């Protein structure tokens, strides 16, 4: 498989709380069709791409909460997406809420997968950095209950052979943590998919509202450059459930340069050519880990407590 192809972030505009899966999947299919027409081989959909960003609401009714989770992947709702990707030979990244039934009860993860052009799941990741809070905080303009609705991912930061190179996944808040990106970089990642739902307004530090787009690109670009990898960041954007989400979906080169960026906060395909061999420009030089890293001096990074 060629290591040179067109990749794209498939930004989504708002998904309202009552929007049925079938309608969301139809939107994903429309983006996939645009990708096919533009000869795109790999498409990155956002974090929790099948539903609204439900952690913004306190949901006391368990049946109502369960409605936002997938119990199997693929399943009947997303089967048309897998079929279209297979028909077009297009790989994709999909974020979704995952529910696993165990003898001990329900386990909930914020999950994302990479699916190859033949419709096979090649990598699964469960979000490790879960932001927000566990309890209802009615004084806030909206909740961020990821710490309540998900448990920490238990799959580490895996990388897989994918699309002729090595690929990994981070989910939203993970992108702000250099250790998360470096964990993928240390395994040779050449392409990292990052889906996100980032509110424009951060109630605990509103002075940073004007910086949300800057901090998004700062994190994605630094992660790309410091690890010599392409990064494809896909937002859920726009006014969703009364909350404004940033856009800025982009494709970032291993040099840290943004190759393409969204012009809207709606459904939009943001495509750029990637050449995975270009990762070597960074990996073999300024960030040649074997030659220049000093891990024995970094003990504090893994000290617990
Ligand atoms: N979905 C997220 O992880 N959102 C966080 C917000 C809450 C700060 C983010 O890091 O963008």
């Amino acid at each position: 498989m060629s290591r040179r192809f067109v990749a794209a972030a498939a930004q989504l505009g708002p998904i309202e709380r009552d929007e049925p899966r079938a309608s969301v999947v139809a939107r994903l299919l429309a983006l996939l069709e645009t990708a096919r027409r533009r000869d795109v081989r790999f498409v990155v959909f956002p974090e929790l791409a099948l539903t609204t960003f439900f952690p913004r609401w306190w949901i006391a009714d368990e049946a109502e909460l369960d409605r936002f989770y997938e119990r199997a992947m693929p399943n009947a709702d997303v089967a048309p997406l897998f079929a279209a990707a297979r028909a077009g030979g297009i790989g994709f990244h999909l974020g979704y809420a995952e529910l696993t039934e165990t003898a001990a009860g329900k386990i909930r993860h914020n999950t994302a997968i990479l699916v190859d052009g033949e419709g096979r799941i090649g990598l699964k990741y469960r979000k490790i950095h879960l932001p927000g809070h566990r309890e209802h905080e009615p004084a806030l303009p909206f909740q961020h209950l990821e710490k309540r609705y998900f448990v920490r991912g238990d799959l580490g930061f895996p990388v897989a052979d994918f699309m002729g190179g090595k690929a990994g996944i981070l989910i939203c808040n993970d992108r702000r943590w250099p250790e998360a990106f470096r964990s993928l970089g240390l395994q040779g990642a050449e392409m990292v998919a990052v889906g996100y739902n980032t509110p424009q307004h951060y109630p605990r530090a509103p002075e940073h509202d004007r910086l949300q787009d800057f901090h998004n690109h700062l994190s994605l670009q630094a992660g790309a450059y410091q690890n010599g990898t392409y990064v494809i960041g896909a937002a859920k954007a726009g006014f969703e459930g009364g909350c404004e989400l940033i856009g800025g979906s982009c494709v970032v080169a291993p040099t840290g340069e943004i190759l393409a960026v969204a012009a809207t906060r709606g459904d939009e395909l943001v495509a750029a050519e990637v050449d995975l061999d270009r990762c070597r420009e960074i990996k073999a030089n300024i960030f040649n880990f074997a030659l220049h890293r000093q891990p024995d001096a970094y003990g504090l990074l893994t000290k617990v407590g």
Side-chain angles (χ1 to χ4, degrees):
M1 169 155 208
S2 168
R3 286 166 51 83
R4 198 170 170 155
F5 51 88
V6 181
Q11 179 172 283
L12 287 175
I15 299 176
E16 290 312 330
R17 188 164 169 165
D18 294 335
E19 184 166 345
R21 292 281 200 294
S23 157
V24 177
V25 170
R27 287 167 60 186
L28 304 188
L29 285 170
L31 285 160
L32 214 55
E33 173 56 17
T34 306
R36 192 191 61 76
R37 278 191 270 107
R38 290 169 63 180
D39 215 18
V40 174
R41 300 257 65 83
F42 178 54
V43 171
V44 176
F45 294 111
E47 174 191 35
L48 300 177
L50 297 173
T51 63
T52 195
F53 189 76
F54 61 92
R56 76 168 60 89
W57 289 289
W58 173 258
I59 302 171
D61 176 353
E62 191 172 326
E64 166 67 2
L65 182 64
D66 286 356
R67 202 166 68 73
F68 295 105
Y69 292 77
E70 313 303 314
R71 291 167 188 265
M73 188 55 65
N75 56 40
D77 290 320
V78 298
L81 187 64
F82 278 67
R86 201 165 40 240
I90 301 173
F92 67 92
H93 159 281
L94 182 72
Y96 62 97
E98 180 189 14
L99 193 156
T100 314
E101 300 267 10
T102 72
K106 293 173 182 167
I107 303 180
R108 301 168 189 278
H109 287 105
N110 187 340
T111 299
I113 49 172
L114 295 182
V115 180
D116 69 17
E118 290 173 23
R120 294 177 301 222
I121 296 178
L123 184 70
K124 179 169 172 173
Y125 169 67
R126 291 169 168 159
K127 187 174 182 177
I128 287 184
H129 296 97
L130 296 169
H133 47 102
R134 272 188 193 82
E135 302 308 326
H136 192 197
E137 298 194 24
L140 295 174
F142 50 85
Q143 308 295 300
H144 197 108
L145 290 159
E146 281 197 67
K147 285 194 194 297
R148 185 174 196 89
Y149 297 155
F150 303 115
V151 294
R152 194 181 86 163
D154 56 354
L155 301 175
F157 292 104
V159 157
D161 291 326
F162 187 75
M163 309 280 308
K166 292 213 174 295
I169 301 172
L170 296 178
I171 303 181
C172 196
N173 192 260
D174 287 324
R175 73 197 188 288
R176 303 182 192 271
W177 299 90
E179 300 89 339
F181 260 116
R182 181 51 53 85
S183 297
L184 299 179
L186 284 171
Q187 298 171 82
E190 297 171 302
M191 193 164 65
V192 179
V194 186
Y196 57 95
N197 284 260
T198 297
Q200 187 78 57
H201 175 49
Y202 189 68
R204 296 180 202 280
E207 61 274 30
H208 291 174
D209 289 2
R210 69 184 178 85
L211 299 172
Q212 292 301 339
D213 289 278
F214 168 62
H215 288 160
N216 175 40
H217 285 161
L218 181 68
S219 303
L220 297 174
Q221 291 178 262
Y225 171 58
Q226 290 167 350
N227 296 284
T229 177
Y230 284 90
V231 172
I232 302 158
K236 174 111 72 51
F239 278 95
E240 186 189 83
C243 177
E244 186 180 10
L245 299 170
I246 68 165
S249 300
C250 57
V251 181
V252 186
T255 51
E257 294 162 287
I258 292 180
L259 301 176
V261 65
T264 72
R265 286 189 171 185
D267 292 9
E268 180 181 346
L269 196 77
V270 181
E273 184 168 286
V274 308
D275 176 358
L276 299 181
D277 287 338
R278 283 202 61 201
C279 296
R280 278 195 60 74
E281 289 170 28
I282 300 294
K283 288 188 194 290
N285 294 299
I286 190 78
F287 288 113
N288 181 330
F289 292 160
L291 200 58
H292 303 307
R293 266 185 98 245
Q294 303 295 333
D296 58 310
Y298 306 152
L300 271 180
L301 293 182
T302 51
K303 189 161 165 276
V304 177

